[in-house]
């Protein structure tokens, strides 16, 4: 496997793939991005055979990266305010939190 090609693709994806790519036809967008990635790799001196050696299906790889970017964006949007986040990290908002914390301390001592 070509480490150079894999590193190129990973960096290229981090610069060119976003959650916005998930809108509409993801497979079509992934195919267009894969073509662009191959062109950029070629311009960088990485042959398509080297790319194929590193990643069997570049379109599928990029489609997965699009899905991951969308999932990250969706997760980031789940808790938008400081108040919502505080509810998640404040143990006083959970029923039996003090008892659970005491049990955890006992478990760690043993």
């Amino acid at each position: 496997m070509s480490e150079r090609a894999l590193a190129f693709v990973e960096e290229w994806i981090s610069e060119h793939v976003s959650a916005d790519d998930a809108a509409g036809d993801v497979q079509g967008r992934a195919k267009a991005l894969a073509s662009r990635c191959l062109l950029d790799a070629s311009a960088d001196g990485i042959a398509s055979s080297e790319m194929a050696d590193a990643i069997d299906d570049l379109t599928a790889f990029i489609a997965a990266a699009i899905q991951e970017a969308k999932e990250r964006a969706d997760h980031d949007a789940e808790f938008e305010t400081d108040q919502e986040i505080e509810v998640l990290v404040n143990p006083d908002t959970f029923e039996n939190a003090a008892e659970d914390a005491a049990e955890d301390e006992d478990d760690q001592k043993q």
Side-chain angles (χ1 to χ4, degrees), residues 65-77:
I66 291 170
Q67 182 62 35
E68 184 179 328
K70 182 182 182 323
E71 289 171 3
R72 276 194 315 269
D74 289 347
H75 180 74
D76 289 346

Side-chain angles (χ1 to χ4, degrees), residues 19-31:
D20 294 339
D21 293 315
D25 179 14
V26 173
Q27 279 304 114
R29 183 67 181 142
K31 187 173 183 177

Side-chain angles (χ1 to χ4, degrees), residues 16 26 33 65 88 105:
H16 295 89
V26 173
L33 287 168
L88 290 176
E105 287 179 18

Side-chain angles (χ1 to χ4, degrees), residues 3 12 21 46 48 55 77 84 87 91 96:
E3 295 295 325
W12 191 93
D21 293 315
I46 302 172
S48 59
I55 298 173
E84 290 172 318
V87 168
N96 301 325

Side-chain angles (χ1 to χ4, degrees), residues 34-60:
S35 294
R36 184 171 166 204
C37 181
L38 287 171
L39 286 172
D40 290 349
S42 178
D44 225 31
I46 302 172
S48 59
S49 60
E50 189 176 351
M51 293 287 285
D53 184 41
I55 298 173
D56 292 333
D57 187 344
L58 185 58
T59 300

Side-chain angles (χ1 to χ4, degrees), residues 5 7 15 23 34 36-37 41 53 79-80 100 107:
E15 295 173 0
R36 184 171 166 204
C37 181
D53 184 41
F79 304 104
E80 296 181 7
D100 290 344
D107 289 344

